[in-house]
Amino acid sequence: KNQVEQSPQSLIILEGKNCTLQCNYTVSPFSNLRWYKQDTGRGPVSLTIMTFSENTKSNGRYTATLDADTKQSSLHITASQLSDSASYICVVSGGGADGLTFGKGTHLIIQP
Amino acid sequence: SAVISQKPSRDICQRGTSLTIQCQVDSQVTMMFWYRQQPGQSLTLIATANQGSEATYESGFVIDKFPISRPNLTFSTLTVSNMSPEDSSIYLCSATGANSYEQYFGPGTRLTVT
């Protein structure tokens, strides 16, 4: 069964600190892995998309890594800001009519 | 990129009534989808909206409960019929562009059924 597991479920850090979110998946076949940011009351917005051959990809203060061998990904946020408070969803392309398997997300709270 | 809008953004409805949610994309897209997101849960695919034909529903979702229309490439509606409190959720419209790697989401419709 295709699954995407994210950890931690929730995280609270102080503004300016760094943090890393984890994503493990068992999706086959694998096409790509995406990280989305979902602000409260809004739809998910894409941060990064990585294919099998990509190990790391950055988008500003967000850096995603992918290890296709161990089927793990991480999202590192540098110098966190209050606006980073959101849910971060890991999505793996593979299986399903839409080809996507969604994680439950990590709820990140940045405190001043 | 594509910008997706949804109406209404939120609604509170009585048990037994129906609500139609509209989804408009600002550019032509290939695929359109409807998702449900319950509190603390991941997104669950309800159906693929097919232009000019019946939607393709996922297991656990049926046309009588969630009728869907897609009269053209940029517009779709989802109706939640005969609502019960269990239907309280966020409903999201999504679309893929010409490059199917990119998938865009609408802002969601927050539905509360009392």
Side-chain angles (χ1 to χ4, degrees):
Chain A
K1 179 182 178 183
N2 290 333
Q3 285 188 317
V4 175
E5 300 288 340
Q6 291 187 243
S7 62
Q9 185 175 3
S10 61
L11 180 63
I12 302 174
I13 63 171
L14 293 176
E15 184 180 12
K17 298 296 186 182
N18 304 334
C19 67
T20 300
L21 315 180
Q22 300 291 343
C23 172
N24 298 334
Y25 62 93
T26 56
V27 176
S28 181
F30 175 87
S31 175
N32 57 74
L33 184 145
R34 315 156 185 219
W35 283 94
Y36 284 88
K37 177 186 179 188
Q38 185 175 23
D39 293 310
T40 301
R42 309 289 292 272
V45 175
S46 178
L47 294 175
T48 64
I49 301 175
M50 288 186 294
T51 60
F52 184 88
S53 60
E54 295 176 294
N55 299 120
T56 185
K57 182 169 279 191
S58 293
N59 177 0
R61 293 180 297 101
Y62 301 102
T63 299
T65 65
L66 173 64
D67 185 335
D69 291 331
T70 61
K71 298 186 177 180
Q72 296 180 326
S73 176
S74 66
L75 180 69
H76 185 74
I77 303 175
T78 304
S80 60
Q81 300 176 358
L82 296 178
S83 60
D84 293 331
S85 295
S87 287
Y88 292 83
I89 304 173
C90 176
V91 184
V92 180
S93 176
D98 59 347
L100 302 179
T101 303
F102 290 82
K104 291 185 178 182
T106 292
H107 186 53
L108 176 64
I109 298 174
I110 310 298
Q111 289 186 338
Chain B
S1 65
V3 177
I4 301 176
S5 59
Q6 286 184 232
K7 290 194 297 185
S9 59
R10 60 177 60 222
D11 207 342
I12 301 174
C13 302
Q14 289 193 338
R15 181 196 303 259
T17 63
S18 298
L19 175 72
T20 295
I21 303 168
Q22 297 181 2
C23 174
Q24 179 72 55
V25 189
D26 71 343
S27 58
Q28 288 192 353
V29 293
T30 52
M31 308 284 282
M32 292 186 74
F33 305 98
W34 286 97
Y35 292 85
R36 182 172 70 184
Q37 186 178 27
Q38 295 178 311
Q41 301 297 314
S42 59
L43 278 71
T44 300
L45 180 64
I46 297 172
T48 304
N50 300 310
Q51 185 197 356
S53 64
E54 190 172 289
T56 305
Y57 291 84
E58 296 300 299
S59 175
F61 298 97
V62 295
I63 187 171
D64 290 345
K65 176 67 176 178
F66 297 101
I68 288 171
S69 77
R70 186 180 175 190
N72 57 54
L73 286 173
T74 62
F75 183 79
S76 178
T77 65
L78 167 74
T79 299
V80 186
S81 303
N82 188 24
M83 288 183 285
S84 66
E86 292 71 33
D87 295 320
S88 297
S89 188
I90 297 173
Y91 292 86
L92 292 150
C93 174
S94 177
T96 57
N99 175 0
S100 61
Y101 277 13
E102 195 60 76
Q103 183 151 349
Y104 307 97
F105 290 87
T109 296
R110 183 180 295 271
L111 171 62
T112 302
V113 183
T114 60

